Every structure is written in C-alpha cells, then in structure tokens.
Amino acid sequence: MTAPQGRGRPADDPEEQDPGLARERTSLAWTRTAISFAALGGAVLKANVISGLLVLAVAPVVWQLGRVSRSRAARTDLPTVGATRLFVIALTIVAVSLLCFLVAIFGRSAPLGLR
Amino acid sequence: MSWSRRLTTLLPRAVERDNSGTEPDPRFTFANERTFLAWSRTALALVIAGLGIVQLLPPFPRVPAGRHLLGLPLIALGAVLAAAAYVEWVRSQRALRRGDPLPHSVLPWILAATITGIAIIAGVVLLVSALR
C-alpha cells in the first residue's frame, strides 16, 4: 500500500491510486438505478397512464438523490451518511411493486381470465 | 431481542446514530452502497418482467390465469428483494464499522429460489396449455 508506485508498475487496484473512482462508480450506479425506474415507468405507462406517469416521476427524484449523496459525502465523513436515502429507495420500490401488482390485476389489457 | 425492537434498529435514524466501531474505508462504504443499488435494480427488473408477462404476453391457450400465475409472484418478489437489500446493507455497514466478517447474504438465495419457482410454474403452465 505504501510502496511507491513506479511508472512501469501500476497498482493492482486502480482505486489505490484514486479513491475518487469509487465515488464515481457509485454515482454512475445511482444514474443506472434512476434509468431503471424510468424503464419501469415506461412499461407501466402502457397499462395505466396515471400510474405510469407516477413511476416516471420517481426517476428524476432518484437521480437527484444520487447527486445529493455525492456532495454530502464530499463534505462529511459520516459513516452511514445516506441510510435515509437508501431506506427511501427500498420503500419506493416496495410501493411501486404494490402499484404494479394492482395494475397487473386490474390493468386495461389483462382482465383476469378473459383473454 | 423482540421483533419490534429488531425492526426499529433497521430504521435509518437508528442506523445513522450507530457509533459502534470505527469509520470504515470510504471505498468499502461506497461499495456497500453500490451493492444495494445493484440489488434494487434487480428488484425493479423483476417487477418489469412480471408486468411485461401480464400485460404484453399473448394469453396461454386453455390456461386463462397463466400470465398472472407467472407475473404476480415476480412483482411480489421484487418488493421482497428491495426490502431485503436494505436490511442487508444495514448489516454489512455495521459489520464494516466493527471490523466483523461480512454477514452471510440471503439475497442470492432469494433470487435463485424466485427464478427456480417461476421456471417450474412456467413449465407447468406450458405443459397444461399444450396437453389439454
């Protein structure tokens, strides 16, 4: 770890040279999660427009949460900074699943047992 | 510890107040967060798959409830996986702070059981719709 890193011998783990990469990857993971919400919103949109718009509206909120995490993590060294954000994400997915459950049962294109 | 006590230790306020151990390497904290996010996306993918099966698939001949038999469990397990991912994140973060070995994860087990169960249901639905 403390050994000098010569030009010809890069560190085994690039993060040992730049811990900021971990932050970058986490930021990208947040973006991917936001896109996943948007994808789900698009799928719901086909079945129920209002529910679809509701789920689509979550995507920019998630994206914003990821940005908040970056700036806050840079300012504080609180260990579990973001427990609330992750809790909100988990809770949102549970709520969205419930919504999708109802949409799947009562949705326009799939009346149970009729088609 | 009772169930309700155990549940309150999972609430974000309790997690953020937990001062046990020492601050782990920030890279570990970031990695733990990414793992949670990856499981969240997996949960969302299960919900998308379940919804897609119910809404987009043509109905199975002679098995009118077939699409719901496949899709609704997928959606429900998406919710379970999201909640389990949060619990897992709290436990891992606590272990990182205290220098304990990382706790045994049940999430891969949940996912494998889900996929196996759905595959079995799909096989049965297909057989019934083909044979009857």
Side-chain angles (χ1 to χ4, degrees), chain B residues 66-107:
Chain B
R67 292 176 302 174
H68 289 82
L69 275 175
L70 287 171
L72 295 183
L74 276 175
I75 295 173
L77 279 153
V80 171
L81 204 63
Y86 175 75
V87 175
E88 186 80 13
W89 176 82
V90 171
R91 289 170 66 209
S92 297
Q93 197 63 31
R94 196 174 293 154
L96 283 177
R97 285 193 68 85
R98 296 175 182 171
D100 294 342
L102 286 178
H104 180 72
S105 175
V106 293
L107 291 171

Side-chain angles (χ1 to χ4, degrees), chain B residues 1 5 10 14-15 22-23 25 43 56 58 60 65 69-72 89 117 121:
Chain B
M1 224 190 322
R5 280 291 299 277
L10 291 172
V15 175
T22 55
E23 172 64 16
D25 188 327
L56 304 178
F60 292 100
L69 275 175
L70 287 171
L72 295 183
W89 176 82
I121 298 175

Side-chain angles (χ1 to χ4, degrees), chain A residues 1 15-16 19 22-23 25-26 29-30 32-33 36-37 39-40 43-44 46-47 69 73 77-87 89-90 93-94 97 100-101 103-105 107 109-110 112-113 115, chain B residues 10-13 15-18 23-25 27 29-31 33-34 36-38 40-41 43-44 47-48 51 54-56 59-60 64-65 67-68 72-73 75-76 78-80 82-83 86 89 93 97:
Chain A
M1 194 89 110
E15 281 186 12
E16 286 194 8
R23 179 164 298 155
R25 279 212 295 271
T26 308
W30 276 95
R32 284 199 297 277
T33 310
S36 296
F37 270 104
L40 179 60
V44 180
K46 272 204 75 133
S69 84
D77 54 351
L78 274 176
T80 43
V81 78
T84 311
R85 284 174 314 137
L86 302 196
F87 186 73
I89 294 288
I93 296 178
V94 171
S97 306
C100 290
F101 204 86
V103 166
I105 292 177
S109 68
L112 201 118
R115 298 181 64 189
Chain B
L10 291 172
L11 288 176
R13 186 154 299 197
V15 175
E16 281 169 359
R17 278 194 189 142
D18 183 8
E23 172 64 16
D25 188 327
R27 290 173 298 178
T29 304
F30 279 128
E33 186 170 324
R34 283 200 299 279
F36 166 81
L37 289 171
S40 299
R41 289 193 298 276
L44 284 173
V47 177
I48 293 175
L51 202 63
V54 174
Q55 296 289 338
L56 304 178
F60 292 100
R67 292 176 302 174
H68 289 82
L72 295 183
I75 295 173
V80 171
Y86 175 75
W89 176 82
Q93 197 63 31
R97 285 193 68 85

